Amino acid sequence: MSPRSICFVLSALIFVSCSKPQDTVVVYVSEDQVFSEPILRDFERETGIEVRAVYDTEEAKSTGAMNRLIAEKDNPQADVYWANEPIRAEVLKQKGISAPYVSPNAEDIPPEFRDPDGYWTGFSARVRVLVVNEGVEDGPGTILAYTDPRWEGRSVIANPLFGTTTAEIAALFVIWGDERAREFMAAMKRNRVAISTNNGESADFVAAGQYDFSLVDSDDAVNRMRQGRPVTMVYPDQEEGGMGCFVVPNAAVFIKGSPHPEAARRLIDYLLSGETERKLAFADCAQIPLHLGVQTPPELKPMSEIKVMRVDYADVARKMVEIQPFLKAWMGL
Amino acid sequence: MARRAFLTFIVVLLLAIGMLPVLSMLARSVIVDGRLSLASYAGLLASSRQWSLMRNSMVLSCLVTALAVAVGVPLGILLGKTDLPFRRFFALLFVIPLLIPPYIVAVSWFDLLGREGLLMHLVGATAAGATARLLFGLPGCVFVLFSIFLPIPMLLTMIFLRTVNPRLEEAARLVSNWRGVMKGITIPIILPGVLLAAMLVFILTFGEFSVPNFLRYDVFPVESFTQFSAFYNFEAATAAAVPLAAVTLLVLLVEAAFLRKRTYQLRPFSESERLPPVELGARRTWLSACVGVAGLVIVVVPVVVLIVQSAGMDAYAEAMNRAGGSLLRSLLYAAIGATLLTVFGFFTGYLIQTKAFRCWRSVDSSTIFLLALPSTVIGIGLISLWNTPRTNLVYGTPVIIILGYLAKYTALTSRISVAQLAQIPPSMEEAAQVAGAGWFRRMGLIVAPLARRGLLSGWLVGYIFSLRDTGITMLVYPPGHETLPVRIFTLMANGSPDLIAALCVVMTAATLLPAGILWTIPNLLTRKVTG
């Protein structure tokens, strides 16, 4: 190939890649690609707007896309961030990377699941539940079971340095205060809790009978139930006066300096629609709709029937950063 | 004059593409808020975890190197020196794992030996649980990486065996049997090749990220990737990458001191000059069976497992539906990358072979250093340098991926060119020069056509390595431009096993089919020339 042909091919490549038609939207996605991509394809089909996406890998523990946004703060490439939980959306707000946008579709989403200033809006949530082996009689109904001597050496939890487990522990620190939360963590350790690499692995351990129960995301539990594995799902701390389940909604975030703002707003509107929530509820990710009246699959309770942990996600985000050294030490790192 | 100017341009371009990102990253790691700070490095040294990761990396690299050399060298001798039946077929068979992305091999073993893998259906959950425990951790990592890098000592042994002067062996045969000749003559002569193979396996294992990450064995490259991807701590990621670069540099210094001259003097003897293959006699059959069983376990089983796991057209239809675009992009970027790598490799190879500049050794070392440097480091370096509004033309487009390929893999095409150019008598170019041909004409009409076999081989190697690249592409790909290996990685989070297996089969076919077609072209060319 002559130097001239190489220059031609390169120029063509650059031209094709750099052309930014208005009917394009760039979205960074932390939700698993296998669940998020069909939604984005439907959006493309219905609106004619081309979606260019960057997906997270399992290895980046769902933080790669957010971190890429942070690195690109002065040179934004993305229009929208589809976070798989609201804490990282809060971090982006605190770092000045997102911009407010209140979608008309967000109106009937409960206020506790959206930022009051419109920097992020929640949709389609996972709930933190206990997955319990069917062979266990009189199983646990509260996360305090982790410290109960009855379950010594019989429980497992995902690495608290990553993902929704970190968020829930940070939420406990916010609700209980540092002292009680640290004591809970210490008691959990004394009770010989096992650590797995992720929630899916925890659920598999419980399904295999290696451990009796684990705190996981509702989709992990529902998946195992749909596979016919011998597990049940328990919504913890639902009793009178109980603190309720920690809820982890997805979050749609509008990026400051978005190269395609109009298309970005349309995508956010689409993500926050009842129809998207219905699709995500019946997909394998089994996420619970936040809009009232959207149908849910039989394995899940509607959000209106679940007692929810009342916590400010902004406080949880701040606490999560604060407790990182404690969690590292707890893990022995 | 034209030669000097053009080769200077190539060197400057190479430095800008490869070394500048690395230097930029290093600078960024020591300058925090406009001030010189070694805090990241102090944090690194203070953490006991880093030392433990380094120990893990060293243990893994040493074990894989020892095993690959211990098996690869005898295998290379059997395939390259004896009358073992099907030796050409076996040689091709064992090369296959090196051609496909390492983590695909890991996925395949997981599909077989995992807690819910195919083995569980055959032998029950208890035995499968035991194999899963072995797979996840050091033993699994060693085995998978050994199967991937085994072709390196095998091929280098076969190549170096062809450079042993047959007269020496013939003379030795007068006083000794083949065993004595091998021990006293052949093996000492091919020792530089064995050491070169050991060095290559060591640095490739040391920089490998995807397999240890998948099999949950914590090593240094995983730490650097996690610091970058999970915490986005540029400084910590760079600091974590520096020990990797230091070890790489150390190994390269050893290579420069002991091996460089020996490995450049490769002059293979032709088929007619070489002695007939060593006759294995009665051992021929069972040795062939042993090699066959090894090939079955190391190569055939993982490929078959992927095919079985992906059984059914639905999985392939879903794979093409989800990843058809990524596959086309992969092929396009790999083809462009391979073409540019061939051009760059050819001219750097020419520079090194003709020692056109006094700094030829530095140019060679730089390319090798970049090849050995973990992909994560190069990827972070590229982001660090190009992620600005003014350079969006590079950062926001696939050009950034192509730059990554050039930075990482130029050494491969350069070395192939050196080997090919060494076989062209300098008198050819000199005669054209005397006849008044300018440098570009000499290169275009004399040197390049004579080196066409090397150019084709270089293109093929560049294509394979660009296509299988995960480490750099995963960090730098612009939105909507992910390649197939990246897509497989992102779909692994909750993607169904049959879909992942189908994608892995597609990826393997995308690598092997063009490689198979192009592999035959140099052979056809050779036959045409010799015939």
Side-chain angles (χ1 to χ4, degrees):
Chain A
M1 189 180 256
S2 69
R4 196 177 295 175
S5 338
I6 293 165
C7 289
F8 175 76
V9 170
L10 270 182
S11 314
L13 190 70
I14 293 170
F15 177 77
V16 169
S17 309
C18 292
S19 52
K20 281 185 181 169
Q22 272 311 299
D23 53 356
T24 294
V25 62
V26 176
V27 55
Y28 286 8
V29 187
S30 289
E31 178 60 65
D32 291 343
Q33 182 177 5
V34 72
F35 306 130
S36 54
E37 194 176 32
I39 303 289
L40 297 174
R41 285 205 173 179
D42 286 351
F43 172 76
E44 269 187 331
R45 207 168 24 248
E46 288 172 30
T47 63
I49 297 173
E50 183 198 355
V51 177
R52 292 188 185 174
V54 167
Y55 297 96
D56 255 339
T57 63
E58 182 82 2
E59 287 65 31
K61 305 289 180 191
S62 303
T63 59
M66 181 196 76
N67 289 324
R68 199 161 164 166
L69 286 166
I70 295 171
E72 291 171 356
K73 183 181 179 185
D74 300 327
N75 182 31
Q77 306 285 315
D79 302 299
V80 174
Y81 176 42
W82 175 348
N84 63 351
E85 41 91 339
I87 312 300
R88 301 192 206 287
E90 268 296 335
V91 172
L92 292 183
K93 178 188 173 186
Q94 288 163 18
K95 286 184 180 284
I97 289 162
S98 50
Y101 171 60
V102 179
S103 164
N105 287 347
E107 270 175 16
D108 63 338
I109 287 177
E112 62 266 34
F113 299 128
R114 50 190 158 103
D115 178 66
D117 304 319
Y119 281 84
W120 60 266
T121 310
F123 64 104
S124 294
R126 287 168 288 169
V127 174
R128 297 284 291 169
V129 297
L130 293 173
V131 63
V132 184
N133 188 285
E134 271 184 356
V136 175
E137 283 179 21
D138 195 17
T142 164
I143 64 166
L144 293 174
Y146 272 113
T147 60
D148 185 340
R150 184 189 160 198
W151 305 106
E152 187 178 345
R154 299 302 309 154
S155 63
V156 57
I157 193 166
N159 186 338
L161 281 172
F162 295 111
T164 45
T165 311
T166 324
E168 175 149 21
I169 290 172
L172 294 178
F173 271 75
V174 170
I175 285 185
W176 286 341
D178 285 8
E179 196 180 333
R180 186 177 167 198
R182 280 171 191 263
E183 175 47 36
F184 171 73
M185 294 297 286
M188 211 156 93
K189 209 174 197 177
R190 283 196 297 275
N191 220 26
R192 296 194 298 118
V193 65
I195 308 295
S196 67
T197 52
N198 55 51
N199 290 309
E201 190 176 80
S202 292
D204 285 336
F205 281 146
V206 172
Q210 206 162 329
Y211 297 99
D212 289 340
F213 73 92
S214 179
L215 190 60
V216 297
D217 299 336
S218 47
D219 57 337
D220 297 302
V222 170
N223 269 336
R224 271 67 189 177
M225 288 158 68
R226 285 180 182 173
Q227 290 164 8
R229 312 282 298 276
V231 293
T232 54
M233 183 167 73
V234 175
Y235 295 87
D237 301 295
Q238 297 292 294
E239 74 285 355
E240 188 66 37
M243 66 180 165
C245 295
F246 184 59
V247 176
V248 190
N250 283 274
V253 181
F254 184 78
I255 300 299
K256 192 155 104 182
S258 147
H260 314 97
E262 196 45 49
R265 289 187 191 100
R266 288 187 68 183
L267 176 59
I268 291 177
D269 293 346
Y270 188 84
L271 292 178
L272 298 181
S273 67
E275 180 55 16
T276 297
E277 288 207 308
R278 191 193 62 76
K279 286 177 190 166
L280 287 171
F282 284 89
D284 281 346
C285 56
Q287 295 181 343
I288 304 172
L290 299 183
H291 283 286
L292 289 172
V294 177
Q295 207 184 345
T296 52
E299 301 92 342
L300 291 166
K301 284 184 185 177
M303 195 57 79
S304 53
E305 293 177 19
I306 301 171
K307 184 169 194 178
V308 170
M309 189 188 284
R310 301 282 164 192
V311 64
D312 184 337
Y313 292 104
D315 293 340
V316 175
R318 275 186 286 272
K319 188 55 85 176
M320 216 164 83
V321 176
E322 194 186 311
I323 64 172
Q324 278 291 325
F326 166 77
L327 291 177
K328 276 190 174 179
W330 189 84
M331 283 292 290
L333 301 176
Chain B
M1 189 61 196
R3 178 176 108 141
R4 192 166 186 81
F6 189 77
L7 290 179
T8 306
F9 170 70
I10 290 286
V11 170
V12 170
L13 215 55
L14 261 180
L15 290 178
I17 291 170
M19 295 305 285
L20 211 57
V22 177
L23 293 175
S24 144
M25 187 188 72
L26 278 175
R28 200 172 154 169
S29 74
V30 292
I31 298 170
V32 179
D33 298 330
R35 278 191 230 155
L36 192 70
S37 165
L38 294 173
S40 303
Y41 293 88
L44 185 79
L45 289 172
S47 162
S48 61
R49 176 171 160 77
Q50 312 301 331
W51 293 106
S52 133
L53 290 176
M54 180 56 85
R55 193 182 58 237
N56 285 358
S57 280
M58 295 300 276
V59 168
L60 178 66
S61 305
C62 289
L63 286 175
V64 172
T65 305
L67 203 57
V69 170
V71 178
V73 173
L75 187 61
I77 291 172
L78 269 178
L79 300 179
K81 193 75 183 169
T82 71
D83 64 345
L84 190 86
F86 312 115
R87 54 189 180 277
R88 285 196 181 160
F89 166 76
F90 284 138
L92 284 176
L93 183 73
F94 281 104
V95 169
I96 290 174
L98 187 64
L99 303 182
I100 51 185
Y103 71 87
I104 288 184
V105 182
V107 169
S108 168
W109 283 107
F110 172 71
D111 285 345
L112 178 68
L113 303 177
R115 264 186 294 125
E116 290 168 12
L118 295 175
L119 195 71
M120 191 195 79
H121 301 293
L122 297 173
V123 298
T126 315
T131 55
R133 274 193 295 280
L134 273 179
L135 182 66
F136 280 90
L138 182 63
C141 273
V142 170
F143 176 73
V144 171
L145 290 173
F146 153 74
S147 72
I148 291 164
F149 295 133
L150 175 67
I152 294 175
M154 182 195 83
L155 286 175
L156 281 172
T157 303
M158 290 170 73
I159 290 168
F160 273 73
L161 280 172
R162 295 172 69 177
T163 68
V164 177
N165 189 338
R167 285 178 196 155
L168 291 174
E169 290 180 326
E170 211 167 12
R173 280 287 283 138
L174 297 173
V175 294
S176 174
N177 59 13
W178 262 115
R179 188 188 293 258
V181 175
M182 292 299 289
K183 203 173 158 189
I185 303 287
T186 314
I187 290 176
I189 291 177
I190 66 165
L191 203 57
V194 175
L195 291 176
L196 179 66
M199 184 199 84
L200 282 174
V201 174
F202 184 89
I203 53 181
L204 287 172
T205 307
F206 197 75
E208 174 56 33
F209 144 79
S210 61
V211 171
N213 186 54
F214 183 75
L215 296 178
R216 308 277 185 252
Y217 183 66
D218 289 341
V219 289
F220 228 100
V222 175
E223 173 69 6
S224 179
F225 180 84
T226 308
Q227 284 293 347
F228 180 74
S229 277
F231 301 110
Y232 222 79
N233 188 338
F234 246 111
E235 292 74 27
T238 308
V242 164
L244 295 171
V247 171
T248 304
L249 206 59
L250 200 69
V251 176
L252 289 177
L253 286 174
V254 171
E255 192 244 357
F258 297 108
L259 294 174
R260 193 67 63 90
K261 281 186 185 166
R262 304 291 297 273
T263 50
Y264 276 140
Q265 289 164 359
L266 281 178
R267 293 280 191 281
F269 287 86
S270 70
E271 199 77 46
S272 58
E273 289 172 299
R274 287 205 297 273
L275 294 181
V278 178
E279 288 178 12
L280 293 170
R283 287 166 295 179
R284 206 167 166 252
T285 312
W286 72 262
L287 275 172
S288 182
C290 286
V291 174
V293 169
L296 186 76
V297 173
I298 291 172
V299 186
V300 179
V301 166
V303 174
V304 169
V305 164
L306 283 179
I307 294 169
V308 170
Q309 187 76 2
S310 63
M313 291 313 290
D314 289 352
Y316 286 94
E318 175 73 1
M320 291 316 291
N321 180 36
R322 280 189 177 264
S326 306
L327 174 63
L328 290 177
R329 269 191 296 276
S330 279
L331 297 176
L332 176 69
Y333 301 162
I336 293 171
T339 307
L340 291 174
L341 280 166
T342 309
V343 174
F344 269 64
F346 177 68
F347 286 109
T348 30
Y350 179 85
L351 187 155
I352 293 162
Q353 171 60 25
T354 59
K355 301 184 176 58
F357 294 161
R358 264 191 291 179
C359 65
W360 68 272
R361 211 183 282 277
S362 309
V363 173
D364 186 36
S365 299
S366 302
T367 59
I368 297 281
F369 175 69
L370 289 166
L371 174 70
L373 210 55
S375 301
T376 319
V377 182
I378 295 177
I380 296 171
L382 285 168
I383 294 172
S384 168
L385 183 67
W386 295 105
N387 177 20
T388 70
R390 276 170 298 176
T391 51
N392 247 5
L393 207 61
V394 172
Y395 182 71
T397 69
V399 173
I400 190 91
I401 301 176
I402 305 291
L403 290 186
Y405 295 161
L406 286 175
K408 177 87 177 158
Y409 302 120
T410 296
L412 296 171
T413 48
S414 163
R415 285 277 171 127
I416 290 169
S417 294
V418 168
Q420 188 67 38
L421 291 168
Q423 293 176 40
I424 300 172
S427 55
M428 298 280 199
E429 199 191 333
E430 285 162 11
Q433 190 175 13
V434 170
W439 185 71
F440 283 112
R441 288 194 75 195
R442 296 200 305 271
M443 294 303 288
L445 298 176
I446 306 289
V447 182
L450 287 170
R452 62 186 182 280
R453 195 162 184 262
L455 288 172
L456 266 175
S457 307
W459 193 92
L460 185 60
V461 169
Y463 170 81
I464 289 167
F465 277 81
S466 301
L467 192 66
R468 75 204 274 279
D469 180 81
T470 316
I472 296 175
T473 317
M474 196 152 61
L475 287 177
V476 303
Y477 78 93
H481 290 279
E482 83 283 13
T483 57
L484 186 56
V486 170
R487 178 151 280 232
I488 294 174
F489 240 85
T490 52
L491 278 172
M492 273 182 185
N494 280 323
S496 66
D498 54 343
L499 171 66
I500 302 299
L503 284 168
C504 289
V505 172
V506 170
M507 179 70 208
T508 308
T511 313
L512 294 184
L513 283 182
I517 293 164
L518 287 169
W519 200 285
T520 55
I521 293 177
N523 290 331
L524 288 176
L525 284 174
T526 314
R527 270 182 217 157
K528 205 173 152 189
V529 171
T530 53

